Amino acid sequence: PSRSYKEQRTDIAAGKKLMKKLFGKSSPVFVPPFHLYNSDTLRALTSLGFKAISASRRPKEPLPRGLAFLGTRVTVNEYDLELKPRPLSLGLLKSRTLAALREGSAPAGIYFHHADLKAEELGVFAEYVSFLKALEKRGLARFVQASEIIKKRA
């Protein structure tokens, strides 16, 4: 966020383009690195057509028109002191998810950084998805896409 509007917009646009190339579409929600952002970030998101920003803290200033805020309490990727990603841990994923569910009824976002999810971790990811489905089946949680929450807040 200490970078200029132009620098942030350029990087965010490049990331959006890469997501579309890799996955066939881009997300309507932007998650800023380390949940840090400023008013220039919000302006850049609006100009690029994002519908929401998701982070652990709400901005102090009013959001630009058309941009929703989705608070988040669960992050998945762990980083060491050199900011290198650590391997996924199913136990950690489960404990963080259960802790977020105990905290309250507000949405608990779950993030996986596409650049840090390794092929050898897809098994852990699949087990985690099974865990989430089991929580939902038992009535302990309900999982929805961010786009559904954005529509309700629009």
Side-chain angles (χ1 to χ4, degrees):
S2 61
R3 298 165 53 235
S4 72
Y5 166 80
K6 184 178 177 182
E7 291 170 316
Q8 290 188 58
R9 189 183 188 288
T10 299
D11 283 352
I12 294 167
K16 184 175 182 174
K17 183 177 179 181
L18 179 60
M19 293 281 285
K20 188 166 186 156
K21 178 182 174 186
L22 293 173
F23 303 111
K25 62 181 180 177
S26 61
S27 173
V29 181
F30 178 78
V31 180
F34 304 101
H35 300 244
L36 300 174
Y37 59 94
N38 61 20
S39 58
D40 286 337
T41 313
L42 301 175
R43 283 185 31 231
L45 295 176
T46 303
S47 76
L48 292 167
F50 283 89
K51 301 297 181 199
I53 182 169
S54 184
S56 55
R57 65 171 181 80
R58 186 172 187 83
K60 292 176 181 146
E61 65 272 356
L63 289 167
R65 180 180 217 101
L67 192 67
F69 177 79
L70 304 177
T72 300
R73 298 186 312 270
V74 180
T75 56
V76 171
N77 300 98
E78 288 288 315
Y79 298 90
D80 64 20
L81 294 175
E82 295 174 359
L83 301 180
K84 293 181 181 170
R86 293 183 175 149
L88 289 181
S89 161
L90 184 60
L92 183 61
L93 294 173
K94 287 180 174 182
S95 66
R96 284 192 172 166
T97 301
L98 293 172
L101 291 173
R102 282 191 295 269
E103 285 179 19
S105 61
I110 301 170
Y111 300 128
F112 284 90
H113 195 290
H114 64 282
D116 295 335
L117 189 58
K118 308 289 184 247
E120 60 270 14
E121 296 176 328
L122 292 178
V124 173
F125 182 77
E127 287 182 64
Y128 182 58
V129 170
S130 294
F131 168 74
L132 295 175
K133 287 179 180 178
L135 288 175
E136 188 168 40
K137 188 175 182 180
R138 293 174 60 198
L140 299 173
R142 185 173 77 86
F143 297 96
V144 298
Q145 292 185 348
S147 57
E148 185 179 325
I149 298 170
I150 294 168
K151 285 178 189 173
K152 288 181 182 177
R153 294 184 181 183

